[in-house]
Amino acid sequence: MKAVIGVVLLGVVLPALSKECAQLYEENGLSPNFNETIAHAIHSLTLNELRKFNPLAEELNGVPVVNPRLNDPTETERVIPHAPEEEINKNFMSEAMNTIDLVMSQVGQSGDQFGTNWPIVARIVHKFHMKDTWAKIKEEFDLMKQPAKDLCVCLKDTKENGIFQAVDWVARQYRTAPLLTLLNKPLPKLKDAKSWEVWRARLVQYYDSQAITDAATYLSCVLNHIS
């Protein structure tokens, strides 16, 4: 098995979708692999980021994410049911520098989500790749009409529609895989402009318009009912 910085899911056993929900997904333009695209978008979400979409987002938000303390031996859950608030120190002026401070402060600590498999540069790239992805999703989120209630009931039932299982697949890769891959292909060690060209070409594929729509629809269902 290989570790992933993004998500292409192979061999994930998913529950059968109800006919009603399957029809709603198709009628509302979700992709056939919406569980995978949404899992990529949400697997490392935090309450801090959810509140950029809706300032009233709650602690019990129902967004399943990889356990931030995944490699703590006392932790038993690979996936936790709600995106948690991230404690960010304000040692620096900018959000970017405080984010780097957060990433670096977790390396080698008990419960470090990525364990020993992730080089430091890869951790920083992953963090900013996800923040950039969420910014792209928010563009569509802000323009989107509220999805129908029956569609949202289906989408928020993440254990029935396969989203939870897809997030769990990511967690298992983080915990056990010795190598980084992206789009199911090994990544070179990120050390220079040439290796970055490979990483960049793979990362930009996650900005596919359909994947962004899937994620924006899901987050709209989760967040836009809050007032």
Side-chain angles (χ1 to χ4, degrees):
M1 301 294 285
K2 296 175 180 179
V4 290
I5 194 169
V7 178
V8 172
L9 308 185
L10 301 174
V12 179
V13 178
L14 301 178
L17 299 177
S18 72
K19 290 183 179 179
E20 294 82 3
C21 287
Q23 183 175 351
L24 286 167
Y25 300 144
E26 183 177 358
E27 290 175 351
N28 287 275
L30 294 176
S31 65
N33 64 325
F34 70 87
N35 63 304
E36 299 178 11
T37 57
I38 293 171
H40 171 254
I42 69 173
H43 74 273
S44 58
L45 258 175
T46 63
L47 181 57
N48 315 56
E49 295 292 340
L50 286 177
R51 285 176 173 161
K52 293 179 182 179
F53 288 81
N54 185 335
L56 299 178
E58 303 162 341
E59 290 185 4
L60 301 180
N61 49 69
V63 178
V65 300
V66 176
N67 189 338
R69 298 184 59 80
L70 181 66
N71 286 292
D72 186 327
T74 66
E75 291 289 326
T76 58
E77 293 184 310
R78 290 189 298 264
V79 177
I80 58 175
H82 308 285
E85 187 167 9
E86 196 167 51
E87 294 184 13
I88 301 176
N89 292 324
K90 302 295 184 180
N91 295 320
F92 300 96
M93 178 64 70
S94 68
E95 180 180 354
M97 197 62 205
N98 282 315
T99 298
I100 292 174
D101 182 33
L102 174 70
V103 172
M104 294 302 301
S105 297
Q106 293 173 340
V107 178
Q109 298 300 306
S110 175
D112 175 12
Q113 184 181 59
F114 298 112
T116 59
N117 297 332
W118 283 61
I120 289 172
V121 175
R123 294 164 181 259
I124 294 171
V125 168
H126 175 265
K127 189 72 172 180
F128 281 94
H129 159 60
M130 293 313 305
K131 290 174 80 69
D132 198 56
T133 301
W134 299 325
K136 182 65 175 176
I137 293 168
K138 189 174 185 301
E139 283 187 342
E140 183 152 350
F141 176 93
D142 287 343
L143 298 173
M144 182 173 284
K145 294 181 180 179
Q146 172 66 26
K149 182 178 179 179
D150 51 358
L151 172 63
C152 288
V153 169
C154 292
L155 273 181
K156 291 194 290 185
D157 192 354
T158 59
K159 290 189 176 180
E160 286 297 316
N161 60 31
I163 293 172
F164 185 96
Q165 291 85 345
V167 174
D168 184 61
W169 185 90
V170 177
R172 285 186 280 118
Q173 304 313 298
Y174 282 0
R175 178 173 278 178
T176 63
L179 298 174
L180 289 177
T181 70
L182 196 59
L183 299 174
N184 206 40
K185 298 177 183 178
L187 284 166
K189 182 179 180 180
L190 188 51
K191 60 182 181 180
D192 54 23
K194 185 175 181 180
S195 57
W196 173 242
E197 286 181 4
V198 177
W199 281 64
R200 182 176 57 208
R202 305 262 186 91
L203 288 169
V204 296
Q205 295 185 51
Y206 287 99
Y207 296 83
D208 172 79
S209 61
Q210 182 61 66
I212 297 299
T213 296
D214 290 348
T217 303
Y218 170 77
L219 288 176
S220 186
C221 283
V222 170
L223 296 171
N224 275 346
H225 72 285
I226 301 171
S227 59

